[in-house]
Amino acid sequence: MRHNLLSFCRHIKYVGILGLPRFFSDNRIFDFLWLFWLFGVIEIVLHLSINWQAVLQIGGIIVIKIRYGKSVPSAENYQSNIKYSLPFTGHWTVVNGGITKEFSHSWDIPSQRYAYDFLILDEYGRSFAGDAGDVKSYYCYGKDVLSPADGVVVEIYNNAKDSDIIGDGKVVCNSKDIRGNYILICHADNEYSILAHLQANSILVACGERVVRGQVIAKCGNTGNSSEPHLHFQIQNNRSFYFSAGLPIQFSDISVYKTPNYEKFDDRPTQVLNDIICSFISRGYNVFNNISKY
């Protein structure tokens, strides 16, 4: 119902363009047509929490710029004491993320500059089989999500419903939080991980609980600002999702290889494997843990 109302408001508001002659004419019909812009207000209200988070992200960009200036953490100036494992079992594909501006998840949003999006692609470069509108058709949906390193859970959200899949990368977010369901883990002083878009009611840990590397903590879902099931993973230097600086993630004991037919899923350029700095990864590549217990 909410999806249908949002879709209706998103399209019908543009009828208001036909009311522009009201500024040059006394014909009341143009006043009536101009009122269709009010559907845009309804759209904003229905997405009020999401729009507010967009404002917070903008604020975060400003705050981080002021706080760090040119010394914002980067692969050149930041060395983590923790080596992270990939937060899943099996072979997954990096579809967003890298340590350079060209391949970054969101370079201009410092908190997500070194974030990664992972999902599973088949040999034909497809992320699902069956009905594209059904989350259960996607290979990664419901797969186990693991703790990437030892740490303490400091924040969770577990009540978001799956977002509607409408295709073409468009999102109908059914959550008040763009992260959807998520887990925030403290691994060390000024080093936190976020695992987001988790399946509804799948989180298996509680705030204050100590977790270990490789522990199953949730399942992959499609909640929040997610156009199809995938896992969003990032490391940041503080608890705040909006006002923390993202940190480059160094993975240990992993293997990386070019994803077959990746261009059928995403036609953006990919990084040459030889150019990928040791322990970092980039979009267009399959990755998996080499540790047998995972």
Side-chain angles (χ1 to χ4, degrees):
M1 178 65 180
R2 184 172 180 272
H3 171 209
N4 293 335
L5 180 57
L6 274 170
S7 180
F8 176 77
C9 291
R10 184 176 292 117
H11 293 90
I12 199 67
K13 68 183 179 184
Y14 292 111
V15 174
I17 294 175
L18 300 177
L20 285 173
R22 69 185 291 271
F23 296 105
F24 315 102
S25 171
D26 293 329
N27 193 321
R28 298 300 299 275
I29 187 62
F30 296 122
D31 290 334
F32 171 75
L33 291 171
W34 184 254
L35 291 175
F36 275 82
W37 287 117
L38 292 176
F39 284 100
V41 176
I42 296 175
E43 182 185 2
I44 292 173
V45 170
L46 289 173
H47 268 157
L48 189 60
S49 61
I50 302 300
N51 292 327
W52 172 242
Q53 288 172 80
V55 173
L56 288 176
Q57 284 188 319
I58 294 172
I61 293 171
I62 297 171
V63 168
I64 293 171
K65 181 71 174 179
I66 294 173
R67 182 178 296 170
Y68 297 101
K70 294 183 179 180
S71 63
V72 64
S74 69
E76 289 74 30
N77 65 24
Y78 184 82
Q79 180 71 41
S80 173
N81 291 322
I82 297 176
K83 300 294 184 182
Y84 291 92
S85 296
L86 295 164
F88 44 74
T89 59
H91 297 226
W92 290 52
T93 302
V94 183
V95 294
N96 278 309
I99 60 171
T100 63
K101 184 174 183 178
E102 182 180 5
F103 301 103
S104 169
H105 178 287
S106 305
W107 188 263
D108 294 325
I109 304 177
S111 61
Q112 299 183 54
R113 178 167 293 178
Y114 301 108
Y116 288 101
D117 288 335
F118 299 100
L119 49 71
I120 298 174
L121 295 180
D122 62 23
E123 59 188 307
Y124 306 106
R126 296 179 304 202
S127 59
F128 69 95
D131 181 4
D134 184 357
V135 292
K136 296 178 181 178
S137 297
Y138 290 78
Y139 302 125
C140 68
Y141 186 81
K143 296 294 186 183
D144 287 341
V145 173
L146 314 180
S147 175
D150 297 352
V152 176
V153 177
V154 294
E155 190 174 318
I156 63 172
Y157 187 78
N158 198 27
N159 298 318
K161 297 179 180 179
D162 283 321
S163 297
D164 298 317
I165 300 174
I166 57 177
D168 298 325
K170 296 179 181 178
V171 179
V172 177
C173 181
N174 292 323
S175 170
K176 294 180 179 180
D177 196 299
I178 58 175
R179 293 166 289 184
N181 299 315
Y182 67 89
I183 300 174
L184 177 67
I185 303 173
C186 178
H187 300 287
D189 291 341
N190 301 318
E191 204 150 318
Y192 296 75
S193 69
I194 284 184
L195 302 104
H197 307 316
L198 305 174
Q199 186 177 327
N201 301 312
S202 73
I203 294 178
L204 302 174
V205 293
C207 287
E209 182 174 342
R210 181 167 291 278
V211 294
V212 297
R213 182 189 307 272
Q215 178 179 338
V216 178
I217 56 177
K219 293 187 182 297
C220 182
N222 191 52
T223 55
N225 195 39
S226 174
S227 56
E228 70 170 273
H230 72 279
L231 175 64
H232 176 98
F233 175 60
Q234 68 182 61
I235 305 295
Q236 57 194 43
N237 69 350
N238 215 317
R239 288 186 59 155
S240 174
F241 180 65
Y242 307 102
F243 301 104
S244 299
L247 302 175
I249 307 169
Q250 291 181 287
F251 294 97
S252 62
D253 299 311
I254 67 170
S255 288
V256 180
Y257 64 94
K258 190 68 179 289
T259 303
N261 293 308
Y262 181 76
E263 67 280 357
K264 293 183 179 179
F265 178 82
D266 181 358
D267 60 4
R268 292 178 299 170
T270 57
Q271 197 166 2
V272 177
L273 184 58
N274 291 339
D275 292 340
I276 297 177
I277 301 174
C278 181
S279 79
F280 294 106
I281 57 178
S282 184
R283 73 165 179 253
Y285 286 87
N286 271 16
V287 292
F288 64 94
N289 289 308
N290 281 328
I291 303 174
S292 59
K293 71 177 180 178
Y294 296 162

